[in-house]
PDB file of all heavy atoms in Angstrom:
ATOM      1  N   ALA A   1       2.148 -10.673 -13.013  1.00  0.00           N
ATOM      2  CA  ALA A   1       2.534 -10.058 -11.742  1.00  0.00           C
ATOM      3  C   ALA A   1       3.388  -8.818 -11.982  1.00  0.00           C
ATOM      4  O   ALA A   1       3.221  -7.793 -11.310  1.00  0.00           O
ATOM      5  CB  ALA A   1       3.288 -11.064 -10.876  1.00  0.00           C
ATOM      6  N   GLU A   2       4.298  -8.891 -12.943  1.00  0.00           N
ATOM      7  CA  GLU A   2       5.122  -7.710 -13.205  1.00  0.00           C
ATOM      8  C   GLU A   2       4.281  -6.549 -13.734  1.00  0.00           C
ATOM      9  O   GLU A   2       4.523  -5.385 -13.383  1.00  0.00           O
ATOM     10  CB  GLU A   2       6.241  -8.024 -14.191  1.00  0.00           C
ATOM     11  CG  GLU A   2       7.142  -6.820 -14.416  1.00  0.00           C
ATOM     12  CD  GLU A   2       8.473  -7.166 -15.036  1.00  0.00           C
ATOM     13  OE1 GLU A   2       8.665  -8.313 -15.479  1.00  0.00           O
ATOM     14  OE2 GLU A   2       9.343  -6.267 -15.080  1.00  0.00           O
ATOM     15  N   ALA A   3       3.284  -6.846 -14.542  1.00  0.00           N
ATOM     16  CA  ALA A   3       2.395  -5.780 -15.017  1.00  0.00           C
ATOM     17  C   ALA A   3       1.681  -5.127 -13.832  1.00  0.00           C
ATOM     18  O   ALA A   3       1.571  -3.893 -13.769  1.00  0.00           O
ATOM     19  CB  ALA A   3       1.377  -6.343 -16.006  1.00  0.00           C
ATOM     20  N   ARG A   4       1.217  -5.930 -12.895  1.00  0.00           N
ATOM     21  CA  ARG A   4       0.549  -5.376 -11.711  1.00  0.00           C
ATOM     22  C   ARG A   4       1.512  -4.547 -10.878  1.00  0.00           C
ATOM     23  O   ARG A   4       1.148  -3.492 -10.362  1.00  0.00           O
ATOM     24  CB  ARG A   4      -0.071  -6.513 -10.895  1.00  0.00           C
ATOM     25  CG  ARG A   4      -1.185  -7.250 -11.634  1.00  0.00           C
ATOM     26  CD  ARG A   4      -1.907  -8.237 -10.758  1.00  0.00           C
ATOM     27  NE  ARG A   4      -1.140  -9.408 -10.392  1.00  0.00           N
ATOM     28  CZ  ARG A   4      -1.040 -10.513 -11.121  1.00  0.00           C
ATOM     29  NH1 ARG A   4      -1.633 -10.581 -12.307  1.00  0.00           N
ATOM     30  NH2 ARG A   4      -0.349 -11.551 -10.691  1.00  0.00           N
ATOM     31  N   TYR A   5       2.745  -5.044 -10.743  1.00  0.00           N
ATOM     32  CA  TYR A   5       3.759  -4.315  -9.985  1.00  0.00           C
ATOM     33  C   TYR A   5       4.062  -2.954 -10.612  1.00  0.00           C
ATOM     34  O   TYR A   5       4.124  -1.933  -9.917  1.00  0.00           O
ATOM     35  CB  TYR A   5       5.032  -5.160  -9.916  1.00  0.00           C
ATOM     36  CG  TYR A   5       6.260  -4.431  -9.431  1.00  0.00           C
ATOM     37  CD1 TYR A   5       6.497  -4.244  -8.081  1.00  0.00           C
ATOM     38  CD2 TYR A   5       7.193  -3.934 -10.347  1.00  0.00           C
ATOM     39  CE1 TYR A   5       7.631  -3.571  -7.639  1.00  0.00           C
ATOM     40  CE2 TYR A   5       8.322  -3.266  -9.918  1.00  0.00           C
ATOM     41  CZ  TYR A   5       8.548  -3.093  -8.562  1.00  0.00           C
ATOM     42  OH  TYR A   5       9.654  -2.425  -8.138  1.00  0.00           O
ATOM     43  N   LEU A   6       4.236  -2.939 -11.922  1.00  0.00           N
ATOM     44  CA  LEU A   6       4.551  -1.674 -12.588  1.00  0.00           C
ATOM     45  C   LEU A   6       3.416  -0.662 -12.433  1.00  0.00           C
ATOM     46  O   LEU A   6       3.664   0.540 -12.243  1.00  0.00           O
ATOM     47  CB  LEU A   6       4.844  -1.928 -14.068  1.00  0.00           C
ATOM     48  CG  LEU A   6       6.129  -2.716 -14.353  1.00  0.00           C
ATOM     49  CD1 LEU A   6       6.237  -3.041 -15.840  1.00  0.00           C
ATOM     50  CD2 LEU A   6       7.363  -1.946 -13.882  1.00  0.00           C
ATOM     51  N   ARG A   7       2.181  -1.127 -12.503  1.00  0.00           N
ATOM     52  CA  ARG A   7       1.056  -0.213 -12.291  1.00  0.00           C
ATOM     53  C   ARG A   7       1.029   0.304 -10.855  1.00  0.00           C
ATOM     54  O   ARG A   7       0.758   1.493 -10.622  1.00  0.00           O
ATOM     55  CB  ARG A   7      -0.256  -0.918 -12.626  1.00  0.00           C
ATOM     56  CG  ARG A   7      -0.417  -1.279 -14.103  1.00  0.00           C
ATOM     57  CD  ARG A   7      -1.810  -1.817 -14.380  1.00  0.00           C
ATOM     58  NE  ARG A   7      -1.952  -2.315 -15.743  1.00  0.00           N
ATOM     59  CZ  ARG A   7      -1.972  -3.592 -16.076  1.00  0.00           C
ATOM     60  NH1 ARG A   7      -1.904  -4.520 -15.133  1.00  0.00           N
ATOM     61  NH2 ARG A   7      -2.089  -3.968 -17.342  1.00  0.00           N
ATOM     62  N   LEU A   8       1.285  -0.571  -9.903  1.00  0.00           N
ATOM     63  CA  LEU A   8       1.302  -0.175  -8.493  1.00  0.00           C
ATOM     64  C   LEU A   8       2.355   0.901  -8.237  1.00  0.00           C
ATOM     65  O   LEU A   8       2.085   1.918  -7.588  1.00  0.00           O
ATOM     66  CB  LEU A   8       1.599  -1.391  -7.611  1.00  0.00           C
ATOM     67  CG  LEU A   8       0.435  -2.235  -7.134  1.00  0.00           C
ATOM     68  CD1 LEU A   8       0.936  -3.541  -6.531  1.00  0.00           C
ATOM     69  CD2 LEU A   8      -0.374  -1.458  -6.098  1.00  0.00           C
ATOM     70  N   VAL A   9       3.566   0.668  -8.723  1.00  0.00           N
ATOM     71  CA  VAL A   9       4.644   1.614  -8.469  1.00  0.00           C
ATOM     72  C   VAL A   9       4.360   2.950  -9.155  1.00  0.00           C
ATOM     73  O   VAL A   9       4.551   4.015  -8.562  1.00  0.00           O
ATOM     74  CB  VAL A   9       5.996   1.033  -8.919  1.00  0.00           C
ATOM     75  CG1 VAL A   9       7.116   2.058  -8.712  1.00  0.00           C
ATOM     76  CG2 VAL A   9       6.316  -0.244  -8.134  1.00  0.00           C
ATOM     77  N   ALA A  10       3.923   2.903 -10.394  1.00  0.00           N
ATOM     78  CA  ALA A  10       3.627   4.145 -11.112  1.00  0.00           C
ATOM     79  C   ALA A  10       2.551   4.952 -10.397  1.00  0.00           C
ATOM     80  O   ALA A  10       2.609   6.194 -10.366  1.00  0.00           O
ATOM     81  CB  ALA A  10       3.186   3.827 -12.541  1.00  0.00           C
ATOM     82  N   ASP A  11       1.582   4.256  -9.805  1.00  0.00           N
ATOM     83  CA  ASP A  11       0.468   4.939  -9.157  1.00  0.00           C
ATOM     84  C   ASP A  11       0.784   5.382  -7.740  1.00  0.00           C
ATOM     85  O   ASP A  11       0.375   6.469  -7.321  1.00  0.00           O
ATOM     86  CB  ASP A  11      -0.750   4.008  -9.147  1.00  0.00           C
ATOM     87  CG  ASP A  11      -1.973   4.652  -8.504  1.00  0.00           C
ATOM     88  OD1 ASP A  11      -2.321   5.778  -8.903  1.00  0.00           O
ATOM     89  OD2 ASP A  11      -2.565   4.026  -7.606  1.00  0.00           O
ATOM     90  N   ARG A  12       1.554   4.557  -6.989  1.00  0.00           N
ATOM     91  CA  ARG A  12       1.674   4.794  -5.558  1.00  0.00           C
ATOM     92  C   ARG A  12       3.095   5.089  -5.085  1.00  0.00           C
ATOM     93  O   ARG A  12       3.286   5.482  -3.935  1.00  0.00           O
ATOM     94  CB  ARG A  12       1.109   3.582  -4.808  1.00  0.00           C
ATOM     95  CG  ARG A  12      -0.381   3.402  -5.139  1.00  0.00           C
ATOM     96  CD  ARG A  12      -0.964   2.123  -4.635  1.00  0.00           C
ATOM     97  NE  ARG A  12      -0.974   2.047  -3.188  1.00  0.00           N
ATOM     98  CZ  ARG A  12      -1.441   1.003  -2.501  1.00  0.00           C
ATOM     99  NH1 ARG A  12      -1.950  -0.035  -3.156  1.00  0.00           N
ATOM    100  NH2 ARG A  12      -1.412   0.999  -1.185  1.00  0.00           N
ATOM    101  N   ALA A  13       4.085   4.917  -5.946  1.00  0.00           N
ATOM    102  CA  ALA A  13       5.463   5.279  -5.598  1.00  0.00           C
ATOM    103  C   ALA A  13       6.155   5.855  -6.820  1.00  0.00           C
ATOM    104  O   ALA A  13       7.159   5.326  -7.287  1.00  0.00           O
ATOM    105  CB  ALA A  13       6.215   4.061  -5.066  1.00  0.00           C
ATOM    106  N   PRO A  14       5.624   6.963  -7.373  1.00  0.00           N
ATOM    107  CA  PRO A  14       6.135   7.480  -8.648  1.00  0.00           C
ATOM    108  C   PRO A  14       7.590   7.938  -8.595  1.00  0.00           C
ATOM    109  O   PRO A  14       8.211   8.088  -9.651  1.00  0.00           O
ATOM    110  CB  PRO A  14       5.187   8.648  -8.953  1.00  0.00           C
ATOM    111  CG  PRO A  14       4.597   9.032  -7.635  1.00  0.00           C
ATOM    112  CD  PRO A  14       4.497   7.764  -6.849  1.00  0.00           C
ATOM    113  N   ALA A  15       8.138   8.148  -7.395  1.00  0.00           N
ATOM    114  CA  ALA A  15       9.539   8.551  -7.301  1.00  0.00           C
ATOM    115  C   ALA A  15      10.490   7.392  -7.578  1.00  0.00           C
ATOM    116  O   ALA A  15      11.679   7.610  -7.825  1.00  0.00           O
ATOM    117  CB  ALA A  15       9.828   9.116  -5.912  1.00  0.00           C
ATOM    118  N   VAL A  16       9.987   6.165  -7.534  1.00  0.00           N
ATOM    119  CA  VAL A  16      10.820   4.995  -7.809  1.00  0.00           C
ATOM    120  C   VAL A  16      10.859   4.785  -9.322  1.00  0.00           C
ATOM    121  O   VAL A  16       9.819   4.579  -9.947  1.00  0.00           O
ATOM    122  CB  VAL A  16      10.258   3.742  -7.111  1.00  0.00           C
ATOM    123  CG1 VAL A  16      11.112   2.518  -7.432  1.00  0.00           C
ATOM    124  CG2 VAL A  16      10.200   3.964  -5.594  1.00  0.00           C
ATOM    125  N   PRO A  17      12.040   4.834  -9.946  1.00  0.00           N
ATOM    126  CA  PRO A  17      12.103   4.752 -11.412  1.00  0.00           C
ATOM    127  C   PRO A  17      11.924   3.316 -11.923  1.00  0.00           C
ATOM    128  O   PRO A  17      12.809   2.473 -11.786  1.00  0.00           O
ATOM    129  CB  PRO A  17      13.508   5.278 -11.731  1.00  0.00           C
ATOM    130  CG  PRO A  17      14.320   4.940 -10.507  1.00  0.00           C
ATOM    131  CD  PRO A  17      13.375   5.043  -9.342  1.00  0.00           C
ATOM    132  N   VAL A  18      10.767   3.045 -12.490  1.00  0.00           N
ATOM    133  CA  VAL A  18      10.506   1.749 -13.117  1.00  0.00           C
ATOM    134  C   VAL A  18      10.089   1.993 -14.563  1.00  0.00           C
ATOM    135  O   VAL A  18       9.640   3.084 -14.913  1.00  0.00           O
ATOM    136  CB  VAL A  18       9.406   0.957 -12.369  1.00  0.00           C
ATOM    137  CG1 VAL A  18       9.850   0.628 -10.955  1.00  0.00           C
ATOM    138  CG2 VAL A  18       8.088   1.708 -12.369  1.00  0.00           C
ATOM    139  N   PRO A  19      10.214   0.997 -15.416  1.00  0.00           N
ATOM    140  CA  PRO A  19       9.849   1.193 -16.819  1.00  0.00           C
ATOM    141  C   PRO A  19       8.348   1.448 -16.977  1.00  0.00           C
ATOM    142  O   PRO A  19       7.540   0.723 -16.407  1.00  0.00           O
ATOM    143  CB  PRO A  19      10.238  -0.132 -17.485  1.00  0.00           C
ATOM    144  CG  PRO A  19      11.167  -0.807 -16.531  1.00  0.00           C
ATOM    145  CD  PRO A  19      10.763  -0.352 -15.172  1.00  0.00           C
ATOM    146  N   PRO A  20       7.954   2.453 -17.737  1.00  0.00           N
ATOM    147  CA  PRO A  20       6.532   2.646 -18.030  1.00  0.00           C
ATOM    148  C   PRO A  20       5.958   1.441 -18.774  1.00  0.00           C
ATOM    149  O   PRO A  20       6.538   0.978 -19.762  1.00  0.00           O
ATOM    150  CB  PRO A  20       6.514   3.905 -18.900  1.00  0.00           C
ATOM    151  CG  PRO A  20       7.789   4.621 -18.567  1.00  0.00           C
ATOM    152  CD  PRO A  20       8.785   3.541 -18.280  1.00  0.00           C
ATOM    153  N   LEU A  21       4.839   0.925 -18.286  1.00  0.00           N
ATOM    154  CA  LEU A  21       4.193  -0.214 -18.921  1.00  0.00           C
ATOM    155  C   LEU A  21       3.405   0.267 -20.137  1.00  0.00           C
ATOM    156  O   LEU A  21       2.532   1.130 -20.026  1.00  0.00           O
ATOM    157  CB  LEU A  21       3.257  -0.906 -17.924  1.00  0.00           C
ATOM    158  CG  LEU A  21       2.445  -2.087 -18.451  1.00  0.00           C
ATOM    159  CD1 LEU A  21       3.356  -3.238 -18.858  1.00  0.00           C
ATOM    160  CD2 LEU A  21       1.431  -2.538 -17.394  1.00  0.00           C
ATOM    161  N   LEU A  22       3.695  -0.306 -21.295  1.00  0.00           N
ATOM    162  CA  LEU A  22       3.000   0.055 -22.527  1.00  0.00           C
ATOM    163  C   LEU A  22       1.898  -0.931 -22.879  1.00  0.00           C
ATOM    164  O   LEU A  22       0.872  -0.549 -23.429  1.00  0.00           O
ATOM    165  CB  LEU A  22       4.001   0.147 -23.686  1.00  0.00           C
ATOM    166  CG  LEU A  22       5.162   1.134 -23.489  1.00  0.00           C
ATOM    167  CD1 LEU A  22       6.106   1.056 -24.687  1.00  0.00           C
ATOM    168  CD2 LEU A  22       4.640   2.538 -23.275  1.00  0.00           C
ATOM    169  N   HIS A  23       2.118  -2.201 -22.547  1.00  0.00           N
ATOM    170  CA  HIS A  23       1.115  -3.213 -22.894  1.00  0.00           C
ATOM    171  C   HIS A  23       1.408  -4.501 -22.142  1.00  0.00           C
ATOM    172  O   HIS A  23       2.566  -4.880 -21.960  1.00  0.00           O
ATOM    173  CB  HIS A  23       1.144  -3.506 -24.405  1.00  0.00           C
ATOM    174  CG  HIS A  23       0.075  -4.455 -24.861  1.00  0.00           C
ATOM    175  ND1 HIS A  23      -1.234  -4.066 -25.051  1.00  0.00           N
ATOM    176  CD2 HIS A  23       0.119  -5.786 -25.157  1.00  0.00           C
ATOM    177  CE1 HIS A  23      -1.946  -5.101 -25.456  1.00  0.00           C
ATOM    178  NE2 HIS A  23      -1.144  -6.168 -25.523  1.00  0.00           N
ATOM    179  N   HIS A  24       0.349  -5.151 -21.680  1.00  0.00           N
ATOM    180  CA  HIS A  24       0.436  -6.507 -21.151  1.00  0.00           C
ATOM    181  C   HIS A  24      -0.524  -7.348 -21.968  1.00  0.00           C
ATOM    182  O   HIS A  24      -1.726  -7.064 -22.009  1.00  0.00           O
ATOM    183  CB  HIS A  24       0.065  -6.559 -19.663  1.00  0.00           C
ATOM    184  CG  HIS A  24      -0.080  -7.956 -19.141  1.00  0.00           C
ATOM    185  ND1 HIS A  24      -1.075  -8.324 -18.263  1.00  0.00           N
ATOM    186  CD2 HIS A  24       0.640  -9.080 -19.393  1.00  0.00           C
ATOM    187  CE1 HIS A  24      -0.965  -9.616 -17.984  1.00  0.00           C
ATOM    188  NE2 HIS A  24       0.068 -10.094 -18.651  1.00  0.00           N
ATOM    189  N   GLY A  25      -0.005  -8.367 -22.616  1.00  0.00           N
ATOM    190  CA  GLY A  25      -0.842  -9.157 -23.503  1.00  0.00           C
ATOM    191  C   GLY A  25      -0.877 -10.632 -23.141  1.00  0.00           C
ATOM    192  O   GLY A  25       0.083 -11.172 -22.588  1.00  0.00           O
ATOM    193  N   ARG A  26      -2.022 -11.258 -23.470  1.00  0.00           N
ATOM    194  CA  ARG A  26      -2.171 -12.711 -23.369  1.00  0.00           C
ATOM    195  C   ARG A  26      -2.851 -13.190 -24.642  1.00  0.00           C
ATOM    196  O   ARG A  26      -3.804 -12.571 -25.102  1.00  0.00           O
ATOM    197  CB  ARG A  26      -3.025 -13.099 -22.160  1.00  0.00           C
ATOM    198  CG  ARG A  26      -2.313 -13.052 -20.830  1.00  0.00           C
ATOM    199  CD  ARG A  26      -3.115 -13.776 -19.748  1.00  0.00           C
ATOM    200  NE  ARG A  26      -2.377 -13.818 -18.494  1.00  0.00           N
ATOM    201  CZ  ARG A  26      -2.581 -12.979 -17.484  1.00  0.00           C
ATOM    202  NH1 ARG A  26      -3.500 -12.040 -17.591  1.00  0.00           N
ATOM    203  NH2 ARG A  26      -1.883 -13.085 -16.383  1.00  0.00           N
ATOM    204  N   HIS A  27      -2.339 -14.299 -25.171  1.00  0.00           N
ATOM    205  CA  HIS A  27      -2.877 -14.812 -26.427  1.00  0.00           C
ATOM    206  C   HIS A  27      -2.675 -16.324 -26.437  1.00  0.00           C
ATOM    207  O   HIS A  27      -1.630 -16.816 -25.962  1.00  0.00           O
ATOM    208  CB  HIS A  27      -2.142 -14.159 -27.609  1.00  0.00           C
ATOM    209  CG  HIS A  27      -2.699 -14.505 -28.945  1.00  0.00           C
ATOM    210  ND1 HIS A  27      -2.349 -15.652 -29.628  1.00  0.00           N
ATOM    211  CD2 HIS A  27      -3.591 -13.839 -29.740  1.00  0.00           C
ATOM    212  CE1 HIS A  27      -2.982 -15.687 -30.775  1.00  0.00           C
ATOM    213  NE2 HIS A  27      -3.740 -14.612 -30.880  1.00  0.00           N
ATOM    214  N   PRO A  28      -3.616 -17.101 -26.950  1.00  0.00           N
ATOM    215  CA  PRO A  28      -3.470 -18.558 -26.937  1.00  0.00           C
ATOM    216  C   PRO A  28      -2.189 -19.051 -27.592  1.00  0.00           C
ATOM    217  O   PRO A  28      -1.621 -20.065 -27.171  1.00  0.00           O
ATOM    218  CB  PRO A  28      -4.711 -19.038 -27.698  1.00  0.00           C
ATOM    219  CG  PRO A  28      -5.710 -17.945 -27.541  1.00  0.00           C
ATOM    220  CD  PRO A  28      -4.923 -16.676 -27.494  1.00  0.00           C
ATOM    221  N   GLU A  29      -1.728 -18.356 -28.625  1.00  0.00           N
ATOM    222  CA  GLU A  29      -0.522 -18.795 -29.319  1.00  0.00           C
ATOM    223  C   GLU A  29       0.718 -18.028 -28.873  1.00  0.00           C
ATOM    224  O   GLU A  29       1.794 -18.608 -28.706  1.00  0.00           O
ATOM    225  CB  GLU A  29      -0.703 -18.642 -30.832  1.00  0.00           C
ATOM    226  CG  GLU A  29      -1.791 -19.547 -31.417  1.00  0.00           C
ATOM    227  CD  GLU A  29      -1.967 -19.352 -32.906  1.00  0.00           C
ATOM    228  OE1 GLU A  29      -1.191 -18.566 -33.495  1.00  0.00           O
ATOM    229  OE2 GLU A  29      -2.879 -19.975 -33.480  1.00  0.00           O
ATOM    230  N   LEU A  30       0.576 -16.717 -28.661  1.00  0.00           N
ATOM    231  CA  LEU A  30       1.731 -15.904 -28.280  1.00  0.00           C
ATOM    232  C   LEU A  30       2.081 -16.043 -26.805  1.00  0.00           C
ATOM    233  O   LEU A  30       3.203 -15.765 -26.393  1.00  0.00           O
ATOM    234  CB  LEU A  30       1.474 -14.434 -28.611  1.00  0.00           C
ATOM    235  CG  LEU A  30       1.281 -14.093 -30.089  1.00  0.00           C
ATOM    236  CD1 LEU A  30       0.955 -12.619 -30.267  1.00  0.00           C
ATOM    237  CD2 LEU A  30       2.516 -14.463 -30.895  1.00  0.00           C
TER     238      LEU A  30
END
């Protein structure tokens, strides 16, 4: 959800300062 939020803000509210998303990962062990 946070990955989706960061993409939304970066795309649709760029004046709001949020951390740039570099990677969202999913892994069976990690």
Side-chain angles (χ1 to χ4, degrees):
E2 183 163 10
R4 295 188 290 274
Y5 167 82
L6 292 174
R7 294 187 187 104
L8 271 168
V9 177
D11 181 51
R12 298 170 65 180
V16 179
V18 297
L21 177 64
L22 303 177
H23 184 78
H24 170 220
R26 282 194 176 99
H27 186 276
E29 295 179 4
L30 297 177

